[in-house]
Amino acid sequence: MDVTRRDFVKATAIAAALAAAGGSLATLSGCAQGGQSAQTTTGESQIHTAVCRFCGCGCGVLVETRDGKVVSVTGDPDNQSNRGLNCIKGYYLGKILYGPDRLTKPLIRDDAGTKGTGSGLREAEWEEALDLVASKLKETWKADKSRLAFWGSGQQPITEGYLTAKFWKAGLLSNNIDPNARMCMASAVVGFMNVFQTDEPAGCYEDLDNADVFITWGANMAEAHPMLYSRLTAHKLSGDNVRHYDLTACKTRTSASADKVLIFKPGTDLAIANAIANYLIQNDKYDHQFVADHLQFKTGSENIGNAYEDGYDQSEQGSTVDATTPCSFEEYAERLSEYTMEYASELSGVSVEDLTELAGLFADPDLRIMSLWTMGVNQHNRGTWMNHNIHNLHLISGKYGKPGSTAFSLTGQPSACGTAREVGTFSHRLPADLLVANEDHRRFTEAIWDLPEGYLDAIAKPGFHTIKLFREMSNGNIDFLWSAHNNWAQSLPNLTRFLGMDGEHEGIYNTFIAVNEVYPTVTTDYADVVFPVAMWVEREGQFGNAERRTSVFEKAVDPPGDAKWDVWVLMQVARRVLEGETINGEDAFTHLFGFIWDAQADGFIGDDREINRAIWEEYRIFSNPQLKESAAAINEEKKLKMEAKQLAPYDEYLTQHGLCWPVREVDGKWMSTKWRFANGDQAEGFDEVGIAQYGTQGLAGDVSWYKSTDQKPSVVFRPYEPPAEEPDEEFPFWFCTGRLLEHWHTGSMTREVEELNRALPEALLYMNGEDAAGLGLADGDMARVTSRHGTFDIKVSTSGRVDPPAGLVFAPFFARETMVNLAVHDYYCPLSKETDYKKTCVAITKA
Ligand SMILES: Nc1nc2c(c(=O)[nH]1)N[C@H]1C(S)=C(S)[C@@H](COP(=O)(O)OP(=O)(O)OC[C@H]3O[C@@H](n4cnc5c(=O)[nH]c(N)nc54)[C@H](O)[C@@H]3O)O[C@H]1N2
Ligand SMILES: Nc1nc2c(c(=O)[nH]1)N[C@H]1C(S)=C(S)[C@@H](COP(=O)(O)OP(=O)(O)OC[C@H]3O[C@@H](n4cnc5c(=O)[nH]c(N)nc54)[C@H](O)[C@@H]3O)O[C@H]1N2
Ligand code: SF4
Ligand SMILES: [Mo]
């Protein structure tokens, strides 16, 4: 929907102010191609509402188009997540569409021997490329369903993820589908499931405006969540003694705003959180009322080892890691008691004084504390446990579900929360938090998808999680792989193995690989077929951000050349693969997708808006919590009578510029929920409609947290256990990897934007000055970084943009010429199966 010119001028003014502070305002006059500069065109401009396709902040933006081109992008003042703010990547968003290397024709590799060489792909027509991929998929599917897979993404729009899951799970009856969010949010998800029995981030961005204390637990918000970071610093600067403690393995730009920077040894955050919890209990400073009214306590499996071996998940140790046992508060306290300040200080290197100061904050009942975390906590060999330990602290101190007091898990990708977690693109999930292993959930899903009862029993067992999938591929056990919205050949860990560069695991050369992409990447270098697709606002879609806000981005321009919408590609392949198959006596493809695709005309039944709306309305049926509970009710009433309660009708997201689920209809108006797991009266002084007044199983209007002990949030005792690798003589440095502001992940999009590329042209190894000097390395020297898993060369910097303590080095992973993941190990958290990109041990020499 178009917004008025006045709105746009307002947005531009706000954006200009913010950009001025950052030193730049991107006008996209250079965007237009084909000799048409935006400055010389005379056509009327149009404004479209959209949402940024980069980070999980999920900033709303307004996209200005003229003569079929995007000419500017500014913050959307009416999107309540960012209220007009943006960061530098936001301002240059329009330019990502027009990079010089944009893919516009399907590509086919005739000789698998050319994989990884940077050549060997030829241009082809759609028909040939689609027929080839569909025939390979069908062949594999008919021969052995365990040998095919789809790897998706938290950058896939919601309706696209939903449809992919439906094709893979109901169409192919395969659970071999997993997203890159496995490498990103899985630990947070398992944490939420264990604590709240549902995967629902609790707080919202307004907490940033209300907290007295911010604690970043290894989150580099200044580089990775810039809009939220500016909201944090704005609140801090507003006075009133707002404090920020940056707990981190290395100093980053986020440390700049901190009153205290507490550097801890990697992995010892587990002990720090436990020491604070222990302090609260020992000093009788926990919230007695909150503990008695709302919480249950548990212990879990311990000494769970590390997922080194391919067979770990099936081993006795690996298969029992999820087990928990109820315990009393006293037992929990007893287990915590070894975590004295002295013990935590000895492990972490943070002084007893500083740890006690931190504990004192949680002990003060009047302080509102907001904990924020991202990959430092999730990409952790005990990532799920560390999520628990933060929740535990906030729960026993009663600092939960109150505006300004919350444990806030930041999401990384634009739709990590919205797509990957919501619509069932994980190997163990069905849409809306449902699980393949749960019989009732399968019945419920069958009812919505109109499948015969028992149909989905064929997929009752979870498929391959990401690392299992790529280990199997490298072992030669995957014949067909399709990926979209990711660049796995650069972003996966342990690439020396997965790309067959160890001379041992060369399965990748025997796997038929199809990739949907917008630019050439390392992954397309290994592809047998590349489908060129529409990017961002070249079609309509939706993202769900870190505060559960779903926003729609409208189609603003057409894709270039022969590029097509990912959904079009999916439907074309699905139609070919499902040909001759039936469900309930009807053509299987039409049965599953007839609501958006006309088989006779072989095309969509409507425009982008209509297709998205139709998919959304089907997905929305899954979100009725009442119906989730009882399979019997579902089968009796059947889907036509199901009335979705937690998501709004599609068009509401357009008119309201995004809504946070659970969405409720109050007096005919669809309302966002700001705080989850909150008791109504804790929210006094705040907009009443912003508070979710119900627990997991309850409905809107239920004012208690949870109905029964079973449904109360769980505090689970999780001990400190050491990282998978620790520095030794041979590999004496911690190697931490991550992000910097200007680039997005593997750089495939941001390096196509001249201004961003110029601002940060190369990936550097950030070192402590003394470490560098000790190795005879000066700034600009090439270093060789070697781990037990692989090696790469990189230029050294002691500039301090990331300023590590002695013994730790940091590098970003955006540069394909500097493949840091060749050396990063692939050991994962045994509960979430998320890998630890933060703690590989390496040796460094002059190259
Ligand atoms: N500019 C930009 N922004 C992005 C992205 C991007 O590619 N570019 N990607 C987005 C995505 S998908 C994600 S997931 C986020 C990631 O956002 P972040 O997690 O904030 O960023 P990273 O650079 O991955 O992680 C660096 C942090 O890891 C911490 N760390 C290292 N070891 C440990 C440890 O043992 N324990 C703890 N607790 N912390 C540790 C460090 O202290 C440091 O603060 O960024 C999002 N935003
Ligand atoms: N060393 C190291 N590695 C990491 C991490 C780390 O901290 N350290 N973090 C991990 C994390 S948290 C994440 S989330 C992953 C991210 O890893 P990936 O998701 O694999 O990396 P991206 O570069 O985001 O890849 C997205 C791709 O989608 C393409 N694309 C853009 N628009 C579209 C579209 O509309 N359709 C399709 N089909 N494609 C499109 C882009 O060109 C881009 O190449 O990286 C992981 N890898
Ligand atoms: S990259 Fe993140 S902070 Fe920057 S504009 Fe996009 S969503 Fe907002
Ligand atoms: Mo991520």
Side-chain angles (χ1 to χ4, degrees), residues 155 180-181 183-185 374-375 379 411-413 416 739 744-745 813 834:
Q155 295 167 62
N180 63 3
M183 324 310 286
C184 182
M185 297 312 301
T374 325
M375 290 309 114
Q379 293 172 346
T411 57
Q413 298 178 87
R739 297 149 173 87
W744 179 253
H745 292 157
F813 66 104
E834 175 166 348

Side-chain angles (χ1 to χ4, degrees), residues 3 32 48 50 55 103 119 148 186 246 301 460 590 614 643 718 752 795-796 824:
V3 299
H48 311 262
C55 85
L103 297 170
S119 63
L148 56 84
D246 186 31
S301 296
T590 304
E643 193 194 335
R718 301 297 193 183
E752 294 276 333
K795 206 179 269 180
V796 167
V824 171

Side-chain angles (χ1 to χ4, degrees), residues 605-735:
I605 55 164
D607 62 17
D608 274 41
R609 171 70 42 84
E610 286 157 344
I611 297 303
N612 273 296
R613 189 189 286 124
I615 304 170
W616 179 265
E617 290 305 328
E618 183 180 292
Y619 163 50
R620 203 158 75 89
I621 301 170
F622 278 92
S623 72
N624 186 331
Q626 206 171 21
L627 290 166
K628 259 194 222 179
E629 275 177 49
S630 151
I634 295 148
N635 291 334
E636 257 168 49
E637 299 191 10
K638 281 289 178 196
K639 62 178 183 179
L640 289 181
K641 291 200 180 151
M642 294 179 189
E643 193 194 335
K645 291 266 188 345
Q646 290 200 307
L647 297 171
Y650 191 71
D651 291 38
E652 288 292 324
Y653 294 88
L654 285 153
T655 46
Q656 298 206 40
H657 294 233
L659 286 165
C660 302
W661 56 264
V663 180
R664 289 160 302 138
E665 195 183 8
V666 181
D667 300 333
K669 188 167 162 36
W670 292 90
M671 307 272 211
S672 282
T673 296
K674 293 179 186 171
W675 287 275
R676 288 289 289 125
F677 314 120
N679 194 328
D681 41 301
Q682 288 172 350
E684 250 175 73
F686 285 82
D687 179 5
E688 204 199 335
V689 294
I691 312 291
Q693 299 181 333
Y694 54 92
T696 313
Q697 310 289 336
L699 290 172
D702 170 357
V703 291
S704 67
W705 261 55
Y706 286 83
K707 286 274 177 211
S708 68
T709 314
D710 273 3
Q711 295 168 4
K712 282 179 173 178
S714 303
V715 169
V716 189
F717 172 75
R718 301 297 193 183
Y720 166 76
E721 286 182 10
E725 294 185 341
E726 288 187 282
D728 58 16
E729 246 172 62
E730 199 181 351
F731 301 102
F733 290 94
W734 293 107
F735 178 38

